[in-house]
Amino acid sequence: QVQLVESGGGLVQPGGSLRLSCAASGSSSRIKTMGWHRQAPGKQRELVATITGDGSTNYTDSVKGRFAISRNIAQNTVYLQMNSLKSEDTAVYYCYARGTTGRNYAEFGSWGQGTQVTVSS
């Protein structure tokens, strides 16, 4: 199917910024949609942002105006620029990809291993 590797997480002060990257690999895969989800301890995993091949984006209300998702189609890489970070943004952020693979165009959905984002003074 496809392998996803996230990077860019870390510790940042409130009001700071981070840029997450997710690189997808797998020549037989055809990715249609990529996005970011996050999960804080004791909470359910939630959708943060998605982007389609034509550039359409969608954001959860809590990050609108602060986060921006973008994608490099040729490099199969998706980014999440996070500005004005708040303590409630602290979570493990997971990359997600959905598409098809193989001669029969079988559908797939894949998750990355996650990268920790901690917003704290």
Side-chain angles (χ1 to χ4, degrees):
Q1 292 183 332
V2 63
Q3 289 183 309
L4 303 173
V5 180
E6 304 100 329
S7 63
L11 175 65
V12 65
Q13 295 183 358
S17 298
L18 284 174
R19 184 177 187 241
L20 305 183
S21 299
C22 174
S25 61
S27 61
S28 64
S29 299
R30 295 168 288 272
I31 297 174
K32 303 300 181 183
T33 301
M34 299 187 75
W36 292 91
H37 295 65
R38 66 185 181 185
Q39 187 169 24
K43 298 182 65 177
Q44 293 184 332
R45 187 173 299 187
E46 66 170 342
L47 174 69
V48 178
T50 60
I51 186 168
T52 64
D54 64 0
S56 297
T57 59
N58 192 22
Y59 300 90
T60 191
D61 287 342
S62 63
V63 308
K64 288 181 178 178
R66 300 188 298 118
F67 291 10
I69 189 170
S70 60
R71 181 178 178 181
N72 186 317
I73 300 296
Q75 297 182 358
N76 281 330
T77 303
V78 66
Y79 307 93
L80 185 67
Q81 179 66 46
M82 304 184 294
N83 299 322
S84 301
L85 283 163
K86 306 174 181 179
S87 60
E88 50 263 45
D89 295 318
T90 296
V92 177
Y93 284 71
Y94 296 91
C95 182
Y96 176 79
R98 179 171 59 86
T100 61
T101 187
R103 291 179 176 269
N104 295 326
Y105 291 82
E107 295 184 354
F108 74 88
S110 297
W111 294 92
Q113 83 285 357
T115 184
Q116 177 71 49
V117 172
T118 302
V119 185
S120 177
S121 299

